[in-house]
Amino acid sequence: MRIDIITIFPEIFESPFSYSIIKRAKEKGIVDIHFHQLRDYSTNKHKNVDDYPYGGGAGMVMMIEPIAACIDALKDERNYDEIIYTSPDGELLNQKVSNQISTFENIIILCGHYKGVDERVRQYYITREISIGNYVLSGGELAAIVLCDSIIRIIPGVLNDETSALSDSFQNNLLAPPVYTRPANFKEMIVPDILLSGNDNEIMKWRYEKALERTKHSRPDMYNESD
Ligand code: ADE
């Protein structure tokens, strides 16, 4: 999968994309991430990418010209499955959305700033808007990082044990069951016997029941969807 990220702050991505699962996915060649500094597409001598809003009001608006130039240059090179704009107005990110996007070959993610982008970018260039939650971030970069992480980790071959992504919370509309590791007894806090029994069938049943219980308790909204 190829991901092209358009941003005025490519440096924000350096650390989150240099460790753990994303690092491994890049090293294995499963994901190829490219950053595009939006200012490089500005024709303005100060490399501005924003301007005052027509009609007045507070805040600046990201201009269409540099964004269009960048997206057009990318589209000249290859076809894209989706051109995503990270925005609090977008559809809420959930596991189903991540699963779907993870099957794509090429995507662009545009990170917004200030008061947002000129509406014509959204009308004519963006194919999908995604929000990571009902709160406003200072920019789209953090949302793009969350989106990329959730997509990349489920691409087949990224995790060593492929079943481990499938058993994550949310993949079947249930939270994951509790997990334990050694010691079996820590200051009289005891690991459930069933997990030490070696009976795989019973363990599977126990995990399913616990997943239901946990979902019902912590996320009744999800529990009702899982019927
Ligand atoms: N940009 C600012 N806030 C955001 C959010 N909640 N989700 C996605 N992008 C954003």
Side-chain angles (χ1 to χ4, degrees):
M1 179 186 216
R2 177 180 168 117
I3 306 177
D4 287 285
I5 298 176
I6 304 172
T7 169
I8 53 171
F9 293 125
E11 298 81 6
I12 292 179
F13 295 83
E14 277 169 18
S15 171
F17 284 10
S18 302
Y19 295 93
S20 184
I21 290 166
I22 300 188
K23 179 184 180 198
R24 198 189 314 152
K26 288 197 301 187
E27 284 171 355
K28 285 183 174 175
I30 295 171
V31 69
D32 193 13
I33 306 172
H34 296 261
F35 295 97
H36 306 278
Q37 170 53 266
L38 188 59
R39 293 192 192 285
D40 293 345
Y41 294 84
S42 171
T43 49
N44 175 305
K45 74 169 187 257
H46 302 292
K47 298 283 172 202
N48 287 343
V49 292
D50 60 329
D51 208 337
Y52 294 99
Y54 276 124
M60 302 293 274
V61 176
M62 288 176 80
M63 295 185 288
I64 190 169
E65 287 145 314
I67 296 171
C70 182
I71 293 178
D72 285 341
L74 290 170
K75 281 165 76 176
D76 281 346
E77 296 295 320
R78 66 196 65 76
N79 290 322
Y80 285 91
D81 300 287
E82 207 84 270
I83 303 176
I84 296 168
Y85 173 51
T86 49
S87 155
D89 307 354
E91 86 187 276
L92 262 188
L93 182 63
N94 61 26
Q95 193 62 51
K96 200 166 146 200
V97 172
S98 298
N99 289 349
Q100 192 212 8
I101 297 175
S102 76
T103 65
F104 293 156
E105 204 141 314
N106 302 311
I107 62 167
I108 294 174
I109 303 176
L110 169 66
C111 305
H113 264 274
Y114 317 113
K115 276 279 159 205
V117 296
D118 186 304
E119 188 64 20
R120 291 165 292 182
V121 171
R122 299 167 73 166
Q123 276 179 302
Y124 298 106
Y125 287 88
I126 298 301
T127 61
R128 191 164 189 170
E129 302 195 2
I130 291 183
S131 164
I132 64 159
N134 293 329
Y135 41 80
V136 179
L137 301 165
S138 327
E141 282 76 11
L142 293 178
I145 291 167
V146 169
L147 175 63
C148 286
D149 188 277
S150 75
I151 295 166
I152 292 168
R153 64 189 300 284
I154 52 180
I155 301 175
V158 171
L159 296 179
N160 285 335
D161 173 3
E162 280 209 24
T163 60
S164 82
L166 293 175
S167 62
D168 284 344
S169 282
F170 299 106
Q171 285 290 2
N172 62 16
N173 258 344
L174 289 177
L175 297 179
V179 292
Y180 300 86
T181 189
R182 282 181 289 190
N185 180 345
F186 175 69
K187 300 181 181 176
E188 300 311 313
M189 294 176 243
I190 312 281
V191 173
D193 280 344
I194 182 82
L195 296 176
L196 311 177
S197 70
N199 186 332
D200 289 342
N201 258 340
E202 288 302 311
I203 291 172
M204 224 166 67
K205 260 173 40 195
W206 181 88
R207 285 190 169 144
Y208 182 66
E209 278 160 22
K210 290 291 167 192
L212 280 177
E213 228 172 71
R214 179 165 277 185
T215 311
K216 203 169 170 179
H217 176 265
S218 306
R219 292 292 307 271
D221 55 318
M222 264 171 75
Y223 181 78
N224 294 330
E225 280 172 33
S226 73
D227 300 332

